[in-house]
Amino acid sequence: MRKEKRSSLFAETMSRIWSNPGAKVGIIILVIIVSACIFAPFIASYGLNEMDLKNMFKGPSAKHIMGTDGMGRDLFSRLLYGGRYSLALGICAAVVGSVIGIIIGSVAGYLGGQAETIIMRFMDIWSSLPSMLLCILISAVLGAGFFNTVLALSIGNVPIGVRLIRGQILSERSKEYLEAAESINCSKISIMFRHLLPNVISPVIVDATMGIGMTITMAAALSYIGLGVQPPTPEWGAMLADARTHILNYPYLIMFPGLFIALTVLAINLIGDGLRDAMDPKLRK
Amino acid sequence: MNDEKKILSVRDLEVVYTSGKKVVQAVNKVSFDMNKGETLALVGETGAGKTTIAKSILGILPNPPAKLIGGEIWLEGEELISMPDAKKLKIKGEKIAMIFQDPMTALNPLMTVGDQITEGLLLHNDYTKEEAIEKAEEMLELVGIPKARYVEYPFEFSGGMKQRVVIAMALACNPILLLADEPTTALDVTIQAQVLDLIKTLRVKHNTSMILITHDLGVVAETSDNVAVVYAGKIIEYATKKDLFLSPSHPYTIGLFNSLPSMTQGQKRLNPIIGSPPDPTCLPMGCSFAPRCPFVTEECSKEEIPFAEIAEGHFCRCCNLKQEEKTCH
Amino acid sequence: MGRYILKRLLWMMVIVFGTALVIFTILYFTPGDPAVVIAGGNAKAEDVANLRHLLGLDKSYFGQLREFMYNTFIKFDLGTSWVYDKPVLHELVIRLPRTLIIGLSAMALNLTLGLLMGIFAATHEGKWYDSLTMGIAMIFISCPDFWVALIMILLFSSQLGWLPSYGIGGPQYYIMPIICSALGGIAVNARQTRASILGVFREDYITTARAKGQKEGRVIYGHMLPNALMPIITSIGNGFARVVAGSAVIESVFSIPGVGLYLLTAINSRDYPVVRACVLFFAVFTALSMLLVDLVYAFVDPRIKAQYSNARRRMK
Amino acid sequence: MSLIEVQNLKKYFKVPTGLNHAVDDVSFKIEKGETLGVVGESGCGKSTLGRTMIRLQDATGGKILLNGNDITNAKGNELRRVREKMQIVFQDPYSSLNPRIRIESTIMEPLRHSKLYKTKAELKDQTHRLMELVGVDERLRQSYPHELDGGRRQRVGIARALALNPDFIVCDEPVSALDVSIQAQVLNLLMDLQEKTGIAYMFVTHDLSVVRHISNTICVMYLGQLVEKASTEDLFLNTLHPYTQALLSAIPSTDIYHPMQRVQLKGEITSPINPEQGCRFLARCPYAIKDCKQPQKLEEIEKNHYVACCRVREIN
C-alpha cells in the first residue's frame, strides 16, 4: 500500500517535470552525458592513459575528435572517464551535505526552544565564511584527493540545507494537521518523519538538485587552483588546471572540458527548475 | 439605455478561466440592470462567480487566467468593455470603486495608509499634493480614523481599521458605483456591524449605488434593495429583497434559506441542499442545479432554462416552479 | 534602533571570535609541520627545530592560542608573515583595494543588470523574450566563472588583443575580472527578481492599485517593485560575501595580487599568520555586509523598523 | 459526576510585549451527551481554551477533570488514554489534513496507534465503517485531501476524531470555513452522531446562529474570560451581560420585518496582553462606571444563569 502511494505521487511529479520543456532538454542532456561516462570504455576509442607520443597537442580531427593533450592522450576519452569523477564528486557532496543539513535542521526543528537556538547560532558561525572559502580551507587542511574533496564540499553545503529546512519547518509547524497528529497519539518521531518531513522536503530536494550543479562547479574550481582532485586524475577541473599553461597555443584543451562542465551543470539546473515547478504545492490543486 | 435612472446595465457577460487545458466558465451570460442609489446584492456560494462579475465591471480581471469573452457593460450610457484602456483608467477609481474582501492583504504594506488614499485622489482630481493630503485626512476622519494616523503603515492597524481605510480609499473620489466584495466576511460580528453601518451612512450621503457581494443572507436583508442569486456562473433568481425573502422561488434559494440555522427558533434538524456545487470544468446540460435539486425532472437537463418573470420584477430560472409550489408551500 | 545595532555588533564580534578560534584550531591540527615546509626540503633537523622555536610552534596548543588571540584581539596585531617576514596587516591593506574594487564593481553590475533583466522578464512573462532572458541567466549560472575567465582571456587578450590578460595596472586590467565575478550573480539576481515580482503579481494590494485607476507602469514601479525587492535586499549581503570570497579563484586566474590570491599562496606555503588574517578578514567582511543589509532592510521595511524603534513606545 | 470539569483554567503565553492572558480563570462543566457552545470574537481565547482542555497545550494554572480524574498534568501512557477519550475537529479543512497522506490512511492512523486492531483487514473494515458513518464515499478512500471539497474534507476530519470512540470532541469552528449549504450538512452530521453515540461536544465558534442551533449551554467569552453562561434558551431570551447583548444585536438578521435594535459598540477588541485588573469589556461598554475597574466575578444571577458584571441588575 505504501509503495503504491509513493509511486503515484512520484509518477505525478515525474510526468509534470517531463511536460516542462526546459527540464525535458535537461534530462535528455544529462542522460546522454551520464550514460556516456558510465559506458566510457565502450564509447571512448582510446584508453584513459593511452599515450600517443607522436600525436601530442593535435587539434580536433577525425582520429581524435577533440584533439589530444600534451602527452598525446585522447581528450574526448579522458573527458568521458573524467566525467565519472566530476559527477560522482558533485552528487556525493551535494547529497551528503544536504542529508547532514536535513538531519541537523530537523533535529533543531524537532527539539525547538533553547536547543534550536544553540544549533542555529552554531550554524551562524559555521557559515560566517562563504561556502567557497570554507571549501578552500578545508580541502587545504585535508589535502588533495577525491574523498577529501567530497568532504570539504559537503561541509560547505551543510549550513545551506539547515537554514532551508528549518525555514520550511517554521512555516509548517503551525499547521493544524500536526496538532491533529498529536491529538491522535502519534509519537513525536512519527510526527516529525511521517507528517512534517514529507511536507517540507520538496524545496530541499530542489535545492540539493541545484546544489549538484553548483558543487560540480566548485569542485572544478578547487581542482583548478590546485586544491581538489589532482591532475593525473581526469577530473574536469583538474584537466583545465593541467591545460592552463597551454591556453594560448592550444585553446581547445580549455574549451572542451569547460563545455562539458557547463553543459552538465546547465542540464542539472534545468532539471532543478523543472522540479521546483513540479513540486510547487500551489500547482497541485 | 435611455432610462435616466439606470446607471449600470450588464448584458450577457461571459468570463472564462483557463488553466492548462481546463476551461472554467466562471460567468455565463449574466445580465442585470441597476438604478441610481440602488443596492444590489449578489448572493451565492464560493466559486459561484460573484467576484468575477464585479472584477469584470471594474476591468481588473487577472488576465491570464481570466478572459472576458463576451457581453456588454454600460455605465451611464457608455460601454466599458470596448472602451480604450486610457479612457477606462479614468473610470476606474473615479466612477467605480471597489472594497475588497480581505483588508489584511488589500493594502500595500510598504506605503502609509494616507499615501494610498492620496494616490487615488491625485489621479482623478486636479488637486495639488497638499490639497490631496488634506482631502485624504478628511476621508480618514470620515471613516472614524484620527487623521494623525495618516502617516502610519497598514500593519499598525487592526482588521476593522484597515477595512475602514479601504472604504476611505474607495469613496475618496465620490464614485457613482461601489463594488463591495464581501466587505465584512473577514471581520468579527461587532466590527462587521460598525463597518456595514459606515458603508450605509456614506453611501446614502452621496447617493452611491452599490453592488454588494456576500454569502450572508443576514447582511443582504439589512443592506440591499434588490437581490440576485448566483449559482455556477448564472443568475438563477432576481427579485426585490422583500419578494426574495418572503417568497423565494428557485429550489436553490429555498435550500439556502433552509440551510440557515434559525436565530428565533430552537434546536431542530436543518434541511440542507444535498451534495456539493458542480465541478465548474464540466457543468451539466440545462440547469446546473439539477443534480442537487429535490424537484428535478427530465426536462431540467434537456436545454437551457429561460429566465422567466414569475411575478412583477421577480425572475427565476427554473422549469418546474408549479410542482415545487405544491410540495413546498 | 541603537540597541538593535549594538546587539548585532556584539553578536558579530562573537562570530568573528568563534571563527578565529575555529581557524586556529583547524590549522593547529592540520597534519604536517609548517616549519619543515618553510625551511625547505633540504634543511637540517637542527634548522627546522630552530625555526619551530622562532615561530613559536614548540609551544602547547593553549599557549599558542592564547598568544594568537591576545595579539589579534587586544593588540590588533595580525602578526608577521613566516615566509616573507613582513607584517601581515600592512600587506593586507595593500591588497585590499584590489579585491574591493573587483567585488564592489561586480556587485554593482549584479544588482543593476540582474534587476533590469528580472524586471524585464517578469513584466513580459510568458513571451519569448522572457524565456530568452531567463535562458541567458541559466547559461550564466551554469558556466564556471574561472572557465569564462579563461575563454575571455583567449578571446580578448590573445585573439583581439584588447585587454591585458593578467596583473594589475590601469582600469583596463580590472574589466575582465569584474565581468567574470559578476556573471553568476547577475543571473541569480535576475532569476530571483523575476520570481519575486511574479510572486507579488497576484497580491490583493496590486489589484487595489489597479482598481484605483493607476497606470500600469506606476503599478509596477510604485507598488509591485518595492514589495518584490524586499527579499532581494536580504540576499545582497550573501551575494556580496560570495563575490568577495570567490575572488580567490578569479584573482588566481588573472594573477591579481589581491586578498584572495594572498590567501591561496599562503595556504600553499603554510604561511599560517597570513592564512589566519585573510580568513578573519573574510569573516569580518561577511558579517559586516550582512549587518549592513539587515540595517538597510530594517530601514526600508516599516514593519521591521517599527519593531525596533517603537519598542520603547509600546512597552508603556 | 460530570464528564468534563474545568476549574479556574488559565493559559498564558509569553509574547515580546508581555504576558498574553489567552484563557484566564475559566470554569465550567460538560455533561455526557451534552453540547457546550463557546462564543466569542477572534482573539478571545476560545480556541486556546479548547486546545488546552484536550491537552494539546499545557495549562498555566487550574484543573481539568475527566470523569473526575485530574488530567491537567497527565503524561506518557496516561496522556495517551486521555487523548483517546478527547478529540478535536479543526476549523480549516485545508490545513488540518496532511496533504501527502491519503484519506484512508488519515482515518486509519488513530486506529493503528491505538493498537486495538490486530490485522490489516480489521483496520480496513473499521476505517470503512467510519467513512460510511460520516458519509464519505468509499471510492474516495485513495484520494488525497486536495482532491476533495471543503465539506468532504471536514467529514474526513470528523471521522479521524471519531475513530477512537471518544467521549468528548472539541469542535473548533468546524463549519466557519464552509459554504452555507455545506455547513448545514456538517451540522446535521454532528447532531446525528451525537444522537447515535451520546458523545459530548464543546462547540467553539463566532457564529451565534450556529451555536444556538447546536448547543444546550452557551458560554460567552471576552478576552480570555467568561462573561456570561446560561442555557441556550435563557441566553437568547434573557440576555444579561452588555457584551452579549451587543454581540446578539450585531448579527445581521434575515427577518426583514423585525430588524434588530442594534447596540453599537465603540472601538475594537482590546489586547489580552497584560490586561488591567477590572472588567475587560470596560473600554467598549456603554454602561461602564468606576466600579467596573474592580475584578468581575461570574455570579449566578438567575438559576443556572451566570454573569460577570457588577451592574447587571441595574442595567436589565
Side-chain angles (χ1 to χ4, degrees):
Chain A
M1 254 219 46
R2 293 281 290 275
K3 253 189 195 146
E4 169 200 273
K5 173 170 62 197
R6 285 239 174 88
S7 71
S8 108
L9 261 189
F10 182 74
E12 204 189 319
T13 314
M14 279 302 142
S15 77
R16 238 193 243 126
I17 293 175
W18 192 243
S19 62
N20 176 329
K24 201 187 264 181
V25 172
I27 291 174
I28 292 170
I29 297 177
L30 194 68
V31 165
I32 292 174
I33 292 179
V34 168
S35 41
C37 293
I38 291 175
F39 300 110
F42 305 104
I43 298 169
S45 27
Y46 300 88
L48 171 58
N49 288 316
E50 196 179 318
M51 285 187 266
D52 179 0
L53 293 175
K54 279 180 221 146
N55 283 315
M56 292 189 296
F57 292 127
K58 282 278 149 60
S61 64
K63 207 171 158 205
H64 299 282
I65 55 169
M66 290 183 183
T68 59
D69 67 2
M71 294 186 194
R73 294 174 297 194
D74 180 58
L75 192 61
F76 180 65
S77 310
R78 278 180 69 73
L79 281 172
L80 291 190
Y81 283 104
R84 295 172 167 191
Y85 287 93
S86 284
L87 284 167
L89 253 178
I91 294 170
C92 289
V95 168
V96 170
S98 303
V99 167
I100 297 175
I102 289 171
I103 291 172
I104 297 180
S106 2
V107 167
Y110 170 77
L111 293 174
Q114 284 292 324
E116 185 181 7
T117 315
I118 292 172
I119 292 178
M120 292 322 291
R121 287 305 181 210
F122 186 67
M123 282 300 130
D124 279 352
I125 295 182
W126 191 329
S127 58
S128 67
L129 291 177
S131 54
M132 183 67 208
L133 198 64
L134 203 60
C135 293
I136 290 178
L137 275 177
I138 296 168
S139 49
V141 167
L142 295 172
F146 182 80
F147 284 103
N148 287 345
T149 311
V150 168
L151 199 61
L153 291 168
S154 322
I155 292 175
N157 273 330
V158 167
I160 304 170
V162 174
R163 288 258 162 73
L164 201 69
I165 194 130
R166 181 169 163 276
Q168 287 295 314
I169 289 179
L170 275 188
S171 69
E172 197 76 14
R173 204 146 61 174
S174 57
K175 292 271 173 77
E176 281 176 339
Y177 69 87
L178 294 175
E179 272 185 295
E182 202 184 334
S183 78
I184 54 167
N185 282 329
C186 273
S187 64
K188 265 194 130 182
I189 299 276
S190 152
I191 291 179
M192 186 75 219
F193 288 100
R194 182 174 151 83
H195 290 281
L196 188 53
L197 216 50
N199 282 297
V200 298
I201 203 92
S202 340
V204 183
I205 291 177
V206 172
D207 200 66
T209 312
M210 304 285 241
I212 295 176
M214 201 187 70
T215 315
I216 289 177
T217 318
M218 275 167 73
L222 279 182
S223 309
Y224 180 79
I225 56 178
L227 286 171
V229 183
Q230 296 298 304
T233 316
E235 197 268 342
W236 291 337
M239 290 170 75
L240 278 173
D242 217 10
R244 66 193 291 192
T245 41
H246 310 298
I247 173 170
L248 298 182
N249 303 326
Y250 310 106
Y252 65 90
L253 286 179
I254 297 283
M255 291 293 272
F256 291 118
L259 268 180
F260 265 73
I261 300 176
L263 261 184
T264 312
V265 175
L266 181 70
I268 291 171
N269 284 342
L270 284 172
I271 295 170
D273 256 12
L275 208 56
R276 184 192 316 256
D277 292 346
M279 284 181 163
D280 188 345
K282 273 177 251 156
L283 298 173
R284 280 202 179 283
K285 275 186 188 163
Chain B
M1 256 45 68
N2 44 19
D3 195 337
E4 272 299 297
K5 284 194 307 184
K6 196 181 278 180
I7 66 151
L8 180 77
S9 171
V10 174
R11 288 280 157 265
D12 296 327
L13 187 68
E14 273 188 278
V15 181
V16 291
Y17 283 86
T18 33
S19 78
K21 280 169 198 147
K22 279 186 199 157
V23 176
V24 174
Q25 184 92 25
V27 178
N28 196 350
K29 302 237 172 201
V30 162
S31 306
F32 60 87
D33 297 313
M34 270 180 81
N35 291 331
K36 188 142 186 61
E38 173 191 330
T39 297
L40 170 72
L42 292 182
V43 185
E45 293 177 291
T46 318
K50 298 166 293 179
T51 306
T52 310
I53 294 175
K55 287 191 170 169
S56 318
I57 295 173
L58 193 48
I60 50 166
L61 279 176
N63 181 10
K67 197 162 192 293
L68 211 154
I69 54 168
E72 294 168 0
I73 299 169
W74 294 86
L75 180 80
E76 288 192 316
E78 284 186 293
E79 211 285 308
L80 297 182
I81 294 173
S82 57
M83 188 182 278
D85 282 351
K87 199 174 168 198
K88 207 165 174 196
L89 281 180
K90 290 304 289 172
I91 306 259
K92 285 185 203 171
E94 186 177 346
K95 293 198 167 166
I96 312 176
M98 187 156 176
I99 300 174
F100 296 91
Q101 174 171 8
D102 188 357
M104 297 302 168
T105 55
L107 294 172
N108 185 341
L110 297 181
M111 229 172 165
T112 64
V113 294
D115 285 347
Q116 298 192 45
I117 301 174
T118 314
E119 186 184 3
L121 283 167
L122 284 171
L123 275 171
H124 302 295
N125 299 289
D126 290 328
Y127 291 139
T128 61
K129 184 100 200 224
E130 286 70 33
E131 284 169 340
I133 290 175
E134 206 172 295
K135 179 87 202 290
E137 283 175 343
E138 227 171 82
M139 282 315 292
L140 279 175
E141 296 268 337
L142 197 63
V143 296
I145 298 173
K147 65 181 178 191
R149 301 193 71 178
Y150 181 97
V151 291
E152 288 185 24
Y153 289 93
F155 76 96
E156 295 169 274
F157 288 76
S158 66
M161 283 294 181
K162 275 187 197 157
Q163 197 60 302
R164 283 165 189 267
V165 173
V166 174
I167 291 169
M169 214 154 77
L171 294 179
C173 296
N174 285 330
I176 53 172
L177 176 64
L178 181 64
L179 308 170
D181 183 6
E182 308 246 9
T184 56
T185 307
L187 307 174
D188 276 319
V189 219
T190 55
I191 311 298
Q192 160 170 305
Q194 294 172 353
V195 169
L196 283 180
D197 279 357
L198 176 71
I199 295 179
K200 206 178 201 168
T201 327
L202 294 176
R203 218 173 54 69
V204 170
K205 206 165 146 191
H206 297 114
N207 198 20
T208 316
S209 315
M210 174 163 83
I211 296 182
L212 175 77
I213 294 169
T214 183
H215 65 271
D216 187 335
L217 288 166
V219 173
V220 174
E222 295 212 343
T223 42
S224 63
D225 304 317
N226 293 318
V227 186
V229 182
V230 187
Y231 187 81
K234 282 182 203 159
I235 294 182
I236 49 133
E237 187 162 3
Y238 177 93
T240 61
K241 171 173 74 177
K242 203 171 128 199
D243 283 350
L244 191 95
F245 276 70
L246 295 183
S247 57
S249 302
H250 196 282
Y252 174 67
T253 319
I254 297 169
L256 273 187
F257 278 102
N258 286 341
S259 300
L260 287 180
S262 165
M263 284 295 292
T264 44
Q265 287 157 31
Q267 193 172 356
K268 63 165 195 192
R269 248 191 91 91
L270 297 167
N271 273 316
I273 306 165
I274 52 163
S276 314
D279 177 359
T281 52
C282 50
L283 291 175
M285 264 290 280
C287 177
S288 313
F289 187 62
R292 301 173 75 187
C293 184
F295 313 108
V296 64
T297 58
E298 267 178 33
E299 250 175 281
C300 294
S301 307
K302 268 189 191 147
E303 54 187 0
E304 192 62 26
I305 316 291
F307 201 39
E309 187 160 15
I310 52 169
E312 202 198 333
H314 192 153
F315 297 82
C316 182
R317 202 183 288 278
C318 181
C319 55
N320 294 319
L321 280 173
K322 284 188 193 105
Q323 283 157 322
E324 215 182 281
E325 268 159 33
K326 270 181 233 154
T327 31
C328 196
H329 292 287
Chain C
M1 205 66 180
R3 264 186 48 186
Y4 171 67
I5 297 176
L6 202 71
K7 217 169 113 185
R8 288 295 313 262
L9 277 174
L10 276 175
W11 175 236
M12 193 186 122
M13 277 158 73
V14 173
I15 284 189
V16 172
F17 201 76
T19 313
L21 187 73
V22 171
I23 183 70
F24 180 86
T25 311
I26 288 179
L27 289 179
Y28 182 87
F29 289 106
T30 302
D33 188 345
V36 176
V37 179
I38 292 165
N42 307 327
K44 287 184 218 121
E46 202 181 322
D47 294 342
V48 172
N50 274 339
L51 192 61
R52 284 177 63 86
H53 181 71
L54 201 69
L55 300 179
L57 288 173
D58 51 351
K59 290 189 198 136
S60 71
Y61 168 70
F62 287 105
Q64 287 186 45
L65 178 65
R66 205 175 54 216
E67 198 178 337
F68 166 65
M69 288 299 203
Y70 179 76
N71 286 340
T72 313
F73 292 106
I74 309 287
K75 285 167 67 184
F76 295 109
D77 175 10
L78 291 175
T80 315
S81 163
W82 289 347
V83 179
Y84 300 105
D85 205 21
K86 281 182 189 154
V88 177
L89 189 61
H90 180 70
E91 294 287 306
L92 259 185
V93 169
I94 293 176
R95 287 168 163 80
L96 188 59
R98 300 163 190 156
T99 303
L100 282 187
I101 286 174
I102 298 177
L104 286 170
S105 328
M107 207 55 211
L109 264 186
N110 276 358
L111 285 176
T112 46
L113 276 183
L115 286 185
L116 286 178
M117 277 170 77
I119 295 169
F120 176 76
T123 47
H124 298 95
E125 191 206 354
K127 309 261 172 53
W128 65 267
Y129 28 91
D130 168 30
S131 317
L132 181 72
T133 318
M134 284 302 108
I136 292 172
M138 193 52 128
I139 291 171
F140 280 4
I141 286 186
S142 305
C143 293
D145 49 3
F146 64 95
W147 179 65
V148 176
L150 292 172
I151 299 291
M152 284 182 85
I153 290 177
L154 264 177
L155 190 64
F156 295 110
S157 304
S158 92
Q159 294 294 318
L160 301 169
W162 291 352
L163 295 166
S165 64
Y166 65 90
I168 48 168
Q172 72 273 24
Y173 285 86
Y174 287 103
I175 294 176
M176 288 200 291
I178 289 171
I179 293 176
C180 294
S181 299
L183 279 188
I186 292 175
V188 170
N189 276 335
R191 284 160 56 90
Q192 204 182 355
T193 308
R194 177 178 180 273
S196 192
I197 292 180
L198 292 183
V200 296
F201 221 81
R202 304 256 178 277
E203 290 286 343
D204 285 350
Y205 54 80
I206 300 301
T207 317
T208 312
R210 290 210 177 101
K212 275 185 221 169
Q214 189 57 276
K215 291 175 204 73
E216 194 57 24
R218 291 287 307 147
V219 172
I220 292 173
Y221 289 96
H223 292 273
M224 234 182 257
L225 212 53
N227 282 289
L229 287 187
M230 282 296 151
I232 292 167
I233 293 178
T234 32
S235 69
I236 290 177
N238 247 324
F240 196 21
R242 216 175 33 233
V243 167
V244 171
S247 66
V249 181
I250 291 296
E251 283 171 13
S252 132
V253 175
F254 290 103
S255 307
I256 292 171
V259 182
L261 192 58
Y262 193 36
L263 172 69
L264 281 186
T265 330
I267 286 178
N268 284 330
S269 58
R270 300 277 174 134
D271 196 349
Y272 286 180
V274 177
V275 175
R276 291 191 293 238
C278 290
V279 169
L280 275 185
F281 159 75
F282 282 120
V284 170
F285 187 82
T286 311
L288 268 181
S289 41
M290 298 280 197
L291 175 67
L292 206 68
V293 162
D294 278 6
L295 288 181
V296 169
Y297 196 86
F299 194 71
V300 185
D301 189 332
R303 284 158 291 194
I304 312 280
K305 193 176 177 180
Q307 224 172 344
Y308 299 109
S309 56
N310 291 359
R312 253 165 299 135
R313 198 176 80 192
R314 283 215 199 115
M315 287 296 252
K316 276 192 287 187
Chain D
M1 192 175 53
S2 312
L3 175 67
I4 307 260
E5 190 173 349
V6 174
Q7 298 173 350
N8 308 97
L9 193 68
K10 290 191 181 93
K11 175 71 192 173
Y12 298 166
F13 294 103
K14 263 196 199 123
V15 291
T17 44
L19 211 51
N20 181 350
H21 295 228
V23 176
D24 209 353
D25 208 4
V26 168
S27 308
F28 56 79
K29 291 175 186 170
I30 300 173
E31 307 296 334
K32 205 169 175 351
E34 189 197 72
T35 302
L36 174 80
V38 176
V39 203
E41 292 179 275
S42 52
C44 74
K46 52 191 194 303
S47 292
T48 311
L49 173 66
R51 283 168 163 76
T52 313
M53 276 173 70
I54 61 159
R55 293 296 319 281
L56 274 173
Q57 287 167 355
D58 288 328
T60 313
K63 265 188 192 168
I64 309 156
L65 305 178
L66 174 66
N67 291 318
N69 303 319
D70 186 351
I71 57 153
T72 324
N73 298 306
K75 282 198 174 63
N77 263 337
E78 197 193 343
L79 184 59
R80 297 177 76 87
R81 291 291 90 73
V82 168
R83 286 194 173 146
E84 283 172 13
K85 294 274 162 245
M86 306 205 288
Q87 278 296 318
I88 180 164
V89 175
F90 293 93
Q91 168 174 14
D92 182 358
Y94 292 90
S95 83
S96 64
L97 301 180
N98 188 331
R100 290 187 184 263
I101 295 186
R102 286 174 201 268
I103 298 312
E104 189 181 41
S105 308
T106 298
I107 301 176
M108 199 189 282
E109 199 170 8
L111 300 172
R112 279 196 294 115
H113 289 298
S114 74
K115 303 202 168 64
L116 284 173
Y117 303 91
K118 296 284 177 300
T119 64
K120 228 174 186 169
E122 271 180 337
L123 269 175
K124 279 208 162 182
D125 270 5
Q126 183 63 14
T127 310
H128 293 167
R129 204 185 58 77
L130 281 165
M131 286 175 71
E132 205 185 305
L133 190 64
V134 298
V136 176
D137 202 332
E138 207 199 305
R139 77 198 151 78
L140 293 173
R141 63 182 213 281
Q142 292 296 320
S143 313
Y144 286 100
H146 66 89
E147 295 162 342
L148 269 55
D149 59 42
R152 293 218 176 81
R153 281 164 156 248
Q154 204 54 301
R155 286 170 191 267
V156 173
I158 293 170
R160 174 176 61 192
L162 283 175
L164 298 173
N165 267 327
D167 295 333
F168 173 61
I169 293 186
V170 171
C171 303
D172 185 6
E173 307 241 17
V175 296
S176 58
L178 306 176
D179 275 319
V180 194
S181 64
I182 309 295
Q183 171 178 323
Q185 294 174 359
V186 172
L187 284 177
N188 275 346
L189 171 66
L190 286 171
M191 287 166 75
D192 291 348
L193 290 170
Q194 186 167 49
E195 231 164 73
K196 271 187 220 161
T197 59
I199 202 166
Y201 293 130
M202 182 168 108
F203 206 93
V204 176
T205 182
H206 68 275
D207 189 334
L208 280 147
S209 54
V210 169
V211 87
R212 163 166 202 166
H213 179 74
I214 202 167
S215 330
N216 308 100
T217 314
I218 294 178
C219 293
V220 181
M221 271 183 99
Y222 191 79
L223 285 182
Q225 294 178 325
L226 292 192
V227 293
E228 186 161 4
K229 187 175 94 176
S231 73
T232 305
E233 261 164 60
D234 227 17
L235 189 93
F236 279 81
L237 294 178
N238 182 20
T239 317
L240 295 178
H241 195 281
Y243 173 65
T244 319
Q245 289 170 353
L247 198 61
L248 283 183
S249 78
I251 307 167
S253 159
T254 47
D255 185 350
I256 55 171
Y257 282 131
H258 308 96
M260 196 73 85
Q261 204 56 29
R262 188 159 289 168
V263 183
Q264 267 283 12
L265 283 182
K266 36 184 180 176
E268 303 195 5
I269 202 161
T270 44
S271 149
I273 298 163
N274 299 338
E276 303 276 329
Q277 258 207 329
C279 177
R280 292 186 184 173
F281 187 54
L282 182 68
R284 300 176 73 191
C285 184
Y287 308 106
I289 55 165
K290 233 190 191 167
D291 283 358
C292 298
K293 291 198 171 163
Q294 301 301 317
Q296 305 289 316
K297 258 204 184 136
L298 203 62
E299 279 179 86
E300 189 162 9
I301 301 297
E302 283 159 29
K303 193 170 179 297
N304 280 327
H305 194 142
Y306 299 79
V307 181
C309 176
C310 57
R311 297 196 68 196
V312 58
R313 290 200 175 80
E314 304 163 46
I315 303 167
N316 295 288

